[in-house]
Amino acid sequence: REAAKSGFFVEDLGTALEALSSLHSIRIRGLMAIPPIPTGMDKSSRYFAEMHQLFVDISAKKYDNVCVTVLSMGMSDDFQQAIAMGSTMVRIGTGIFGPRNYQSPI
């Protein structure tokens, strides 16, 4: 629900999966989530737990062309927490390449 992010709202995901499952050239293999930036003591564990439960719930359903095996959540600052909450893929670009230069024209 952040302007800088896009994707499906949790409440719309079931309908979207039903529609996408009928497209035989599309294969749904997983979910990706980026939680809001934590403030103060707020951690991302609540969001990671919700995504993991959604991942489990979708895995249990039998949609055509949907076989979720990837749960991508966690980035350089929270990847350990994400792995502990069930993430199978993390994005650690900042940890490898350093902070982005948002002023760069590239």
Side-chain angles (χ1 to χ4, degrees), residues 12 28 47 49 52 56 63 67 86 91 96-98:
D12 299 332
I28 307 297
Y47 295 98
H52 183 263
V56 169
Y63 296 102
C67 179
R91 298 170 306 283
I96 296 170
F97 302 109

Side-chain angles (χ1 to χ4, degrees), residues 31-99:
L31 300 175
M32 183 185 95
I34 302 172
I37 296 171
T39 56
M41 294 301 292
D42 180 29
K43 296 291 183 183
S44 300
S45 60
R46 177 173 65 96
Y47 295 98
F48 292 153
E50 289 173 6
M51 280 305 297
H52 183 263
Q53 188 58 54
L54 189 59
F55 175 77
V56 169
D57 292 346
I58 290 170
S59 298
K61 294 186 179 179
K62 301 298 178 204
Y63 296 102
D64 289 340
N65 301 320
V66 176
C67 179
V68 293
T69 58
V70 176
L71 178 57
S72 176
M73 54 184 194
M75 299 185 348
S76 294
D77 290 337
D78 59 8
F79 74 91
Q80 293 166 319
Q81 183 182 23
I83 291 169
M85 300 299 287
S87 182
T88 64
M89 181 183 291
V90 295
R91 298 170 306 283
I92 54 171
T94 299
I96 296 170
F97 302 109

Side-chain angles (χ1 to χ4, degrees), residues 4-17:
K5 298 174 184 172
S6 62
F8 295 103
F9 293 127
V10 171
E11 62 270 18
D12 299 332
L13 190 56
T15 303
L17 285 172

